[in-house]
Amino acid sequence: SGGERVRAHHRRERTIMVTSAVSSSHRAITRSVCARAAFVSSGSLKRSKSSSLPTTVSSSMPYLSLDVPERKLPARVEHLDIRADSPIQLSKALHREVKDVTENYFQELIDFGSVYISDELEENFRLERNAVKNKMQRVTSDVVLPPNSRHYVRAHVHPRRFPVATDVQTRWNERVVKETEDFLVVWKPAGLPVTASVDNAKENVLRCVSSLSSPKKDEAKNLFPTHRLDVTTSGVVIVAKTSNAAKIFSKILRDGHVEKRYLVLTKKPPTLGVMLHEYEPSERMVGEGARMVKMKSMGMDLLKDDLNVYLKNKMKIPSNVAMLRVEKSEPVEFDGEKFYESTVELITGRTHQIRAQFSKENLALVNDCLYANSIDDDDAPLPRVPEPEEKIGLHAWSLKINADTSLGPNGVEFRAENEDIWWR
């Protein structure tokens, strides 16, 4: 069918050739999780009197040195209780515990932001699940563990990759459409997070954009997010150059002075007007499945009493309410099949909001395998997070700022009218 052709068309897997010293044996690893630390009864976590982080040594690993694998590797996370009797580099200590992963590969994982380490643990500290969850820090250089020290280390051996970050066809220099002393306006491609992910600190919008103005890849300047888009969503993103600029723009957002409009692709046309649901965020730990939010229908009494108030003042919308407005919907044809492109104003900015609200109304976005239609279907596949190369019917088309900033006067608008709207 045409729908299958749409899905097939946008599941092409791009292989990016980047220099790497990763051996073929690493690519063939298939076991998913190896928990080497014994999590037993609870204990207390105390800081050592010495520095909480080990000594840093210089790393000669090249930027983005890990190959993008030809096939997706299953998740593999190593949980390790590392004890150092004498000074030892972290990569060497990790290889000592995990023999089938080379020291060189661990160096690359560290450089890639795929390894976390705790503060020093007391000798009698007993690890249990999540006991040091809030005491972990991402380490991005091959530190030296001090003698007679103990650390809990988590290593993501198969980090999730985002090939679009290094694909020459992405043309990052053309995606920064405006720059001021405070901000950058960026056309984000689909298939890439705005900020670092839990196991990948190199392939994200902030890193890719900052590297444009840096002569050396490892000297990329810090940039700051002002808002985010899902990995699978393309479109307009505002990036701040300083933390103060990020705070200013965040306040403009909170005060309701930014209008965001999206293009949404569905198989059926939505009803024009306001879409209102009760929003329930998800709570999950790392590695416990896809994060999904829930939407519940709201009573008509609430709609009658509060709808006009909400529309006049976004600040009065409760945090458990998700609200958007479908402004128009028009039929479009792609690959011989009819779809509907809708322009949607996002009034509140909840996680996965448009995807979840449209799903609740049985208007699932094209290619969205995480939020299907809410009608029960025994044959429907289980929800899963879309792969980076799988593009869904969602594009952040317009961002209008109703306040004076260095980006322009009150009412300045930025639109992403480019090839990222893949169905046009």
Side-chain angles (χ1 to χ4, degrees), residues 328-341:
K328 68 176 182 178
S329 185
E330 299 176 341
V332 295
E333 186 174 301
F334 181 83
D335 202 17
E337 187 169 347
K338 185 178 181 181
F339 298 93
Y340 290 87
E341 179 189 277

Side-chain angles (χ1 to χ4, degrees), residues 319-366:
S319 60
N320 67 330
V321 171
M323 187 174 180
L324 58 80
R325 175 166 33 208
V326 181
E327 296 181 334
K328 68 176 182 178
S329 185
E330 299 176 341
V332 295
E333 186 174 301
F334 181 83
D335 202 17
E337 187 169 347
K338 185 178 181 181
F339 298 93
Y340 290 87
E341 179 189 277
S342 302
T343 303
V344 173
E345 180 188 4
L346 188 64
I347 299 174
T348 56
R350 316 302 182 209
T351 300
H352 296 177
Q353 181 180 328
I354 294 176
R355 299 164 67 185
Q357 283 196 269
F358 269 65
S359 170
K360 180 63 179 177
E361 298 300 316
N362 296 313
L363 294 164
L365 277 57
V366 171

Side-chain angles (χ1 to χ4, degrees), residues 27-158:
R27 300 188 184 100
I29 294 170
T30 57
R31 60 194 179 94
S32 59
V33 176
C34 177
R36 292 181 181 263
F39 294 106
V40 289
S41 59
S42 62
S44 61
L45 179 63
K46 298 180 180 179
R47 286 183 178 270
S48 168
K49 293 182 180 179
S50 61
S51 174
S52 61
L53 278 181
T55 305
T56 299
V57 297
S58 62
S59 173
S60 60
M61 298 309 301
Y63 179 76
L64 287 177
S65 57
L66 289 171
D67 271 340
V68 176
E70 296 180 0
R71 60 181 178 82
K72 182 186 176 184
L73 299 175
R76 180 184 176 186
V77 182
E78 296 285 351
H79 300 274
L80 303 164
D81 188 355
I82 300 291
R83 299 168 188 262
D85 297 327
S86 58
I88 184 173
Q89 282 188 250
L90 178 57
S91 59
K92 183 173 293 186
L94 290 170
H95 173 60
R96 186 178 63 186
E97 297 291 327
V98 188
K99 299 296 186 184
D100 67 327
V101 180
T102 67
E103 182 180 335
N104 184 68
Y105 187 75
F106 273 125
Q107 287 177 334
E108 293 186 330
L109 288 176
I110 290 167
D111 180 69
F112 210 62
S114 304
V115 177
Y116 292 75
I117 190 170
S118 72
D119 293 340
E120 286 190 36
L121 303 178
E122 297 291 339
E123 181 62 30
N124 61 353
F125 181 83
R126 291 193 289 180
L127 289 169
E128 67 171 358
R129 185 178 178 83
N130 299 325
V132 292
K133 172 189 172 187
N134 297 320
K135 304 294 183 180
M136 302 294 290
Q137 298 184 53
R138 191 195 302 264
V139 57
T140 54
S141 58
D142 198 1
V143 297
V144 174
L145 305 181
N148 302 315
S149 64
R150 181 188 177 199
H151 296 270
Y152 165 63
V153 179
R154 187 179 78 238
H156 298 261
V157 181
H158 296 159

Side-chain angles (χ1 to χ4, degrees), residues 7 9 43 54 97 126 223 275 317 336 340 346 407 412:
R7 285 186 286 274
H9 182 77
E97 297 291 327
R126 291 193 289 180
L223 296 176
M275 194 180 289
I317 302 176
Y340 290 87
L346 188 64
L407 288 170
V412 66

